[in-house]
Amino acid sequence: MRDARFHGDSRIRWTEADGAEPARVYVHGLGASSAPYHAHIAARPELAGRRSLFVDLPGHGLSDRPADFGYTLEDHAGALAAALDAAAVRDAEIVAHSMGGSVAIVLARRRPDLVARLVVTEANLDPHPPSTAGSSGIALYEEDDFVSAGHARVLERVGPVWAATMRLADPRALHRSATGLVRGTRPTMRAMLKEIPVERVYVQGELSGELPGADDLALSGVRVVTVPDAGHNVMLDNPDAFAAVLTGRY
C-alpha cells in the first residue's frame, strides 16, 4: 500500500503491482473501491505485466476521509493527481468506472501530462442524472439526515456487491460525492470528454440501454463500445469483453 498527501495531512491511498510502463491506473465509482472492481481484470494474462495502480478516492476504501473536504469532482481529481504525482506516473492509461470516470475526465483536462489514454465505463457525463441513478437517490437527503439514518437505509436497498464497498465509505463523504456528481461540472463532463486531446474510449453495458449522444461523442473522436451481457458494472458482468476493450481487441 502507498499513499500521498492531499488536503493538509490527509492521505489518499492505493495498492500497486509492479510492471512495465506506462502505468494503468484503475479508479472506482461512487461508494466503491478500486481493487474489488478491477484487480481481477489487471491479473488477466493479456493485461498482466503492466504497472497497475488501484486508487481509492478520498472518503472511500483505504483513503482518509477529512470532514472539511468538499468531495466535488474537482476535489477528487486534485487528490488523484496528488497520488499520481507521488507515484511518478506520467502518460498513464486511466481505467475509470462511473463517478471515477467523471473524476478521470476532469483530471485529463486539468493535467494532460498524466493521461495518455482514457477508458471510462458508464461515466456520468451530464449533471442531474435520472432519479434512478444511485447518486440522485443519495443526493435527495440533506447531508446530516443521510449521515444519521439515510446511509443505513441506502445500504439496505442497494445490491450486495455495491453494499460491500459502500459500507466502507464515510457517510458524509459519500453524500458530498453524490451531490457533487449530481451537480456536475462547468463545462460539463460530456463537453470536456469531447475536447480532451488523448485517446478516449467510452464503455457502455448493453443492459443499461443506449448511451444518449453516442453519435456526437463518436464524431468528436471518442470510441464508444457497447458490451453485451453487461449492465453498469461491465468489468464484473463481462470481464472477457472488458479486458478485450482494454487491449484494443474489442
Side-chain angles (χ1 to χ4, degrees):
M1 187 191 306
R2 298 186 60 187
D3 64 71
R5 284 188 175 88
F6 78 99
H7 193 66
D9 201 39
S10 299
R11 304 288 177 136
I12 181 170
R13 296 184 175 87
W14 67 95
T15 53
E16 182 172 337
D18 291 336
E21 301 285 354
R24 187 175 281 130
V25 179
Y26 296 90
V27 187
H28 61 84
L30 178 70
S33 182
S34 284
Y37 279 77
H38 291 114
H40 67 295
I41 297 295
R44 292 176 65 96
E46 65 268 41
L47 294 170
R50 282 275 291 277
R51 184 185 181 196
S52 300
L53 289 75
F54 305 93
V55 183
D56 284 349
L57 294 170
H60 293 71
L62 302 170
S63 291
D64 286 350
R65 46 213 63 203
D68 58 344
F69 191 62
Y71 298 96
T72 65
L73 293 173
E74 294 87 352
D75 290 335
H76 281 301
L80 179 56
L84 300 188
D85 282 338
V89 167
R90 291 293 182 274
D91 298 321
E93 178 179 4
I94 310 292
V95 181
H97 180 226
S98 198
M99 182 188 80
S102 304
V103 171
I105 290 168
V106 176
L107 174 74
R109 185 172 190 262
R110 288 181 162 191
R111 292 288 307 275
D113 58 310
L114 298 178
V115 185
R117 186 181 192 227
L118 186 61
V119 180
V120 294
T121 304
E122 298 229 348
N124 300 70
L125 298 180
D126 306 300
H128 308 294
S131 59
T132 53
S135 56
S136 296
I138 292 172
L140 287 175
Y141 290 90
E142 294 296 328
E143 183 174 303
D144 288 341
D145 291 340
F146 181 77
V147 172
S148 63
H151 184 239
R153 293 195 193 103
V154 169
L155 282 176
E156 291 176 355
R157 291 200 305 268
V158 301
V161 172
W162 197 12
T165 54
M166 186 184 288
R167 66 170 57 96
L168 303 177
D170 177 76
R172 197 169 299 278
L174 182 62
H175 185 271
R176 291 181 188 174
S177 296
T179 56
L181 187 57
V182 168
R183 183 168 57 250
T185 57
R186 293 186 179 178
T188 65
M189 296 84 80
R190 182 182 296 273
M192 286 190 279
L193 180 62
K194 290 166 60 177
E195 297 172 357
I196 296 167
V198 302
E199 181 184 354
R200 294 149 295 158
V201 182
Y202 189 100
V203 184
Q204 177 83 349
E206 180 185 39
L207 302 179
S208 297
E210 186 175 345
L211 173 66
D215 291 343
D216 190 45
L217 288 176
L219 286 173
S220 71
V222 179
R223 187 164 76 91
V224 179
V225 180
T226 300
V227 174
D229 303 318
H232 185 62
N233 297 325
V234 178
M235 70 295 297
L236 302 180
D237 296 338
N238 194 338
D240 291 342
F242 188 75
V245 171
L246 297 187
T247 61
R249 295 185 294 105
Y250 192 97

